[in-house]
Amino acid sequence: MTRNLSGLPAAARDLLWGTNWGSLQHAYGSGEDIPVALCSLVDEDPEVRSEALAVLDTGLLHQGSLYTATVPAALFVAAILNHPVGLTDHEGHPPWDDGRPRTLRAALLVWMGQVAESAAYGEDLVRDRTDWQWAPWHDETRREPDPDKLTALHACREVRPTLYDAIEPFLNSPDPHVREAALGAAVPLLSAPELADRLPRAATLLRTRLGTVAGRRERASVARALGVWRMDTSDLLDDSDPAVRVCAALSPAHVDRPRALAILLDALRDPRTTDGWFPEPLPGLDGWFRFTVLRSALVLAETFEEVAPVAIAIAAAGGTSVVDFERGPILRRAFPGGYDPAHPLTPAQRDLLRAFVHTDEATGSIGGNVLWFRAAGLPDNREGLAALL
């Protein structure tokens, strides 16, 4: 720690000395051991740096949870982004994980983005419900965090302007991995209401980059970011790359809705190709890309009938591994207010339920979707569904 202190920026040193770490908490107890880990981030030994990054992941952001020690640690990381050691390669993050080679700076930016995503969760329930992992019972089980975690949450939200100002210069980095990590952090940060004044400049910067980069991944990431920020992406619906067109169609704001929906549905008709566009998920997304495309299509559709042919084909395909991310959301979209016995089924609803009943894989078509059927007010067994038909 003594060896590394002298090379730290003044802001980072001030955070170390000016913070009462013993009064703070991380996932495993008192924060008094965190200063050593933070100083180790700039150590000349790559193994020491890897272990320090593991502390950020497992101790200060354990399974996405925020702690009172997370906030000053995030400010410290923001303060050292320009440190020369940030240019060194860092292959393992955490040390036991075989990730693609990248610089320490990129790894730190990825972690800041994860902090920003955790801070944004629960802030906008409408936005949360469009996430590919959301399920209707999540709202029912949502609990008020304990006082310490609530304090940490509010503190993280308060420092978002400082965090964004630190990462913005790297949106234009010559290193593509750093640019991607910076954009991944900027997306949740600039979704915060108090950062609305930074949006125009960020959008202009990204638009400029679109004219200079040819890579699918970066262009698609920019298109998605602009959409998340409610910027107009209508022009990108005509992009020559189908992956960019789809990312531009993911957000309904300022977009030609019928054309955007058609683009999304075309992508869902060929899910293997769509998933193959991004073998490694784009920043801020996990799981197969088609899950995000499907959720966006279901939100964009004004009626279930608009998406019924594609949705019913997905439901009829069966399988058990993607219950919550495909057939469940489709079922909810078909019965948005729940099944009402007083009203007859529409042809599209009837065709969807018939697809469930007739799918050979019973576990995949019905048994694996029990919670979704119950959320839609429907019988959760083949016999009950068949009786409705």
Side-chain angles (χ1 to χ4, degrees):
M1 181 172 177
T2 302
R3 182 177 69 248
N4 295 328
L5 271 172
S6 60
L8 291 176
R13 286 199 304 272
D14 290 344
L15 274 164
L16 286 179
W17 299 125
T19 301
N20 182 2
W21 295 98
S23 68
L24 305 177
Q25 296 287 314
H26 56 72
Y28 303 106
S30 169
E32 59 189 357
D33 58 341
I34 295 302
V36 173
L38 295 179
C39 281
S40 298
L41 289 170
V42 297
D43 196 274
E44 60 185 20
D45 187 333
E47 290 188 7
V48 173
R49 295 197 301 269
S50 289
E51 291 172 0
L53 276 166
V55 171
L56 294 185
D57 272 338
T58 61
L60 294 166
L61 197 61
H62 183 66
Q63 296 182 345
S65 295
L66 301 172
Y67 303 89
T68 50
T70 308
V71 183
L75 292 171
F76 179 93
V77 169
I80 65 168
L81 286 176
N82 270 318
H83 194 286
V85 78
L87 298 174
T88 58
D89 286 338
H90 174 73
E91 296 186 4
H93 178 57
W96 54 83
D97 187 22
D98 293 328
R100 58 176 175 160
R102 56 182 172 179
T103 62
L104 174 67
R105 180 173 293 157
L108 293 175
L109 285 164
V110 167
W111 183 78
M112 291 177 67
Q114 293 167 344
V115 171
E117 288 175 1
S118 292
Y121 182 73
E123 193 171 33
D124 184 339
L125 294 181
V126 174
R127 182 178 62 207
D128 289 347
R129 289 170 185 170
T130 63
D131 184 87
W132 67 274
Q133 298 182 88
W134 181 84
W137 49 90
H138 289 173
D139 286 349
E140 299 171 5
T141 58
R142 190 189 296 266
R143 298 178 180 176
E144 188 74 10
D146 64 54
D148 282 345
K149 289 192 176 181
L150 192 59
T151 297
L153 175 64
H154 292 314
C156 277
R157 290 177 178 175
E158 288 175 3
V159 301
R160 286 185 292 197
T162 302
L163 299 183
Y164 176 74
D165 290 343
I167 70 101
E168 186 187 60
F170 300 104
L171 291 173
N172 210 24
S173 169
D175 183 337
H177 298 311
V178 169
R179 287 199 306 271
E180 177 174 304
L183 181 57
V187 169
L189 287 170
L190 288 182
S191 298
E194 68 270 22
L195 287 172
D197 62 320
R198 267 83 156 184
L199 273 174
R201 185 170 65 184
T204 299
L205 189 155
L206 295 183
R207 284 280 187 181
T208 301
R209 287 216 60 82
L210 277 177
T212 61
V213 298
R216 160 177 283 174
R217 184 176 180 85
E218 185 165 2
R219 291 177 58 79
S221 295
V222 169
R224 174 181 174 266
L226 294 172
V228 171
W229 296 334
R230 303 295 183 182
M231 297 293 180
D232 190 350
T233 57
S234 300
D235 60 313
L236 297 177
L237 296 178
D238 295 318
D239 195 271
S240 59
D241 190 322
V244 177
R245 295 198 298 270
V246 167
C247 284
L250 290 177
S251 175
H254 306 294
V255 165
D256 179 342
R257 193 195 69 83
R259 190 157 52 116
L261 182 58
I263 290 171
L264 297 177
L265 293 177
D266 280 345
L268 292 170
R269 291 187 179 96
D270 188 6
R272 288 190 177 182
T273 296
T274 299
D275 285 338
W277 290 337
F278 309 113
E280 181 179 349
L282 295 178
L285 298 178
D286 291 309
W288 293 111
F289 185 54
R290 70 178 186 273
F291 298 159
T292 294
V293 176
L294 175 61
R295 291 281 181 137
S296 296
L298 296 177
V299 169
L300 202 56
E302 293 182 347
T303 65
F304 179 65
E305 282 68 20
E306 284 189 298
V307 297
V310 171
I312 292 169
I314 292 172
T320 60
S321 61
V322 291
V323 165
D324 286 334
F325 311 133
E326 290 187 308
R327 294 189 305 282
I330 288 170
L331 191 64
R332 180 175 175 82
R333 184 63 187 87
F335 297 89
Y339 169 63
D340 183 356
H343 294 85
L345 295 173
T346 67
Q349 290 173 331
R350 191 177 298 277
D351 288 343
L352 176 63
L353 295 185
R354 188 176 290 113
F356 278 101
V357 170
H358 292 168
T359 298
D360 291 334
E361 299 178 30
T363 301
S365 72
I366 298 176
N369 295 265
V370 165
L371 293 177
W372 288 97
F373 276 103
R374 292 175 181 172
L378 289 161
D380 57 18
N381 55 79
R382 179 174 272 100
E383 293 73 20
L385 291 177
L388 298 181
L389 299 175

